[in-house]
Amino acid sequence: MQQIAPNDEHYLVYVQKENADKASLNCSHLIEQAIDENGPYSLEDILYELREGKAQLWLVMSNRQIKAIVVTVIKEFPQAKVCSVWLCAGSEVQKWLHLLTQIEDWAKAHKCHAISVSGRSGWEKILADYQKKNVILEKILR
């Protein structure tokens, strides 16, 4: 499934789970970049989640090149489902950020009540229509 915004050089591609391995050949460096910033996972861990359909891979494209990746996960809670942006990495974020509305629409179609983003504090500045709900603190145990 490919969605293209009219008159927009950036567009979003949803990668079906059957194509996760093939797509990852062209974007593994971006997945690894996102992993470095977001926790104790390996590339193989992420690919497993994508292959199993537990996570979804989105490619931000421009001029037939991958500019960024977004990995989402639907979390099911007793009272609601939430689509979580789990990993994100790439370039030209200001040029494609508006494409997140397509992921939001996809989440609505999958009966999600909300969409959440976890990441560096810089996201708070550019995602003006998102509300800060909590803060995650971490201590490395040695």
Side-chain angles (χ1 to χ4, degrees):
M1 170 173 94
Q2 182 174 347
Q3 301 176 12
I4 302 174
N7 301 319
D8 189 356
E9 68 176 57
H10 288 79
Y11 57 95
L12 194 62
V13 175
Y14 173 76
V15 178
Q16 299 289 334
K17 68 180 181 177
E18 299 81 23
N19 299 321
D21 285 319
K22 183 179 176 183
S24 72
L25 294 175
N26 298 312
C27 66
S28 60
H29 65 290
L30 292 171
I31 295 172
E32 288 176 333
Q33 179 183 337
I35 292 169
D36 288 345
E37 298 171 2
N38 288 292
Y41 303 97
S42 69
L43 177 60
E44 190 54 41
D45 295 334
I46 305 305
L47 292 177
Y48 174 81
E49 297 295 316
L50 294 170
R51 278 188 223 110
E52 293 296 311
K54 296 177 181 180
Q56 303 77 41
L57 176 62
W58 305 82
L59 306 177
V60 177
M61 306 290 295
S62 179
N63 297 320
R64 303 186 72 180
Q65 294 183 339
I66 299 171
K67 296 296 183 179
I69 59 99
V70 177
V71 177
T72 56
V73 178
I74 293 180
K75 297 179 179 180
E76 293 195 39
F77 298 98
Q79 302 301 316
K81 289 168 63 173
V82 174
C83 178
S84 175
V85 175
W86 179 25
L87 301 170
C88 184
S91 61
E92 303 178 357
V93 67
Q94 294 296 346
K95 293 182 180 178
W96 60 261
L97 188 63
H98 65 282
L99 298 175
L100 283 181
T101 59
Q102 293 177 25
I103 296 175
E104 292 169 0
D105 291 343
W106 177 88
K108 284 181 203 173
H110 285 80
K111 310 254 188 281
C112 291
H113 168 74
I115 189 163
S116 66
V117 177
S118 60
R120 296 188 319 249
S121 60
W123 284 107
E124 188 178 358
K125 296 173 190 163
I126 60 175
L127 294 173
D129 57 339
Y130 284 64
Q131 297 173 345
K132 185 176 187 176
K133 289 291 188 176
N134 56 33
V135 174
I136 297 173
L137 303 173
E138 181 178 279
K139 178 181 179 181
I140 303 298
L141 302 173
R142 301 186 196 274

